[in-house]
Amino acid sequence: MATLGIGMVGARYGARMHYENYSKLAHGLVEIRGVCALTKESAQNYAAAYQVPMATDSLEELLANPAIDIIDICTPPASHHEIAIKAANAGKHIIMEKPLTGYFGEPDDEQPIGKHVSRDKMRRGASKNAEAVREAVTSNRVKFCYAENWVYSPPILKMQKLIRASKGSILELRAEENHSGSNSFFSKEWRFMGGGSLLRMGAHSVGACIYLKQFEGYERLGRPIRPISVIADTADLMHSDASNRAKVVNAHEWISSNPVDVENWANVVIRFEDGSRATVMVSDVGLGGLNTRVTAYMTDGVIKANMTLNDAVETYSVDPNTFANEYYTEKLETKAGWNRPSCDEDWFRGFSQEISDFIYAIKEDRQPLSGIDLAVDCVHVIYAAYQSAEEGRRIDL
């Protein structure tokens, strides 16, 4: 089968991570044939590091390259939907890092939009962007691959098998992700990210809950079980009175979260059409390394999936520098004391599997496990949660 040509859009963390997982595929399956970044220098640095033949700061030039079959979008979310629509109109298949899109303000809006734009207006704008991408993908008949790695992680895949094996129903899902804050400059402002921890991190938890209820629905009823309403609360805890009291001991010594106009904590309850619930908890102010979990409380059992910590390898050190030169796991603040380094973080969290599924879905002309509908549903649920948190009421979907 012909080698698929990849065009990377973005040249930083996400693009580097995607390269690492492309490189694990069978030889000759894919080739990164071009990279586009905000500056030509950034694109050239990526191209030099990974032997990519084309480097540009022009998206149009990348899209015009006939050797490129797939556009892989690893840019900040504010540009996601526009790039995706242009790629679809150019007949290119799409791989996109989450989230799909959001609301990013108006062109002449100079104020921090998270502090003065109503969440109802944001919800309408985000939904419009999301549906525009779906329309472009559908009308141009291209594949859209939504990089929601939780769907592909071995713990969630095993959870699906256990749900299938049981005779019961899911009454409640509890999903959480927390760590001590993003290192990205863009994460601080709504105009770049489209939201805070609820969108940036909660897309994982919300996406996993929607996906698992869809899976249960197909298994039990032959159709997906859909979310129908949301109630939520959000906060910027690092600028709360509780954080201000800690300034004498420097609240930001270990927690990097310091937003301008986004939240760094959220709690969401999703109601599904069968009466079941999903509780989503996300936080950018949680010490102890990355924590990602989903629990299914069923009528005949409980299933717990942990996408990060495992005890295959354990270490103890008095000095945090004892193992300084070896990677442990994302967001770990210190290597002192007892720790559990991940053996293969990309595999265990589903990054390798999602890239493989995307490439074979495009080659085999089938839909990926994580596609456009899941991406759009996540936007609708998360922005309904933002509106709920602002208005203090349940929002129907």
Side-chain angles (χ1 to χ4, degrees), residues 381-395:
V381 168
I382 288 170
Y383 270 83
Y386 279 132
Q387 184 179 355
S388 171
E390 180 180 71
E391 298 179 6
R393 65 181 182 93
R394 188 183 76 189
I395 302 295

Side-chain angles (χ1 to χ4, degrees), residues 276-336:
S276 63
R277 300 293 196 273
T279 303
V280 170
M281 295 167 285
V282 293
S283 169
D284 263 335
V285 296
L287 295 174
L290 181 64
N291 176 31
T292 56
R293 302 169 186 266
V294 178
T295 303
Y297 291 91
M298 305 181 66
T299 55
D300 57 353
V302 179
I303 310 168
K304 294 186 176 183
N306 185 339
M307 273 71 70
T308 42
L309 297 178
N310 64 82
D311 59 3
V313 178
E314 295 183 288
T315 66
Y316 177 83
S317 62
V318 176
D319 184 347
N321 295 313
T322 299
F323 305 110
N325 294 328
E326 178 59 29
Y327 179 78
Y328 266 39
T329 187
E330 186 180 355
K331 301 296 183 183
L332 187 66
E333 292 87 23
T334 178
K335 293 180 181 177

Side-chain angles (χ1 to χ4, degrees), residues 121 351 391:
K121 179 179 179 179
F351 292 116
E391 298 179 6

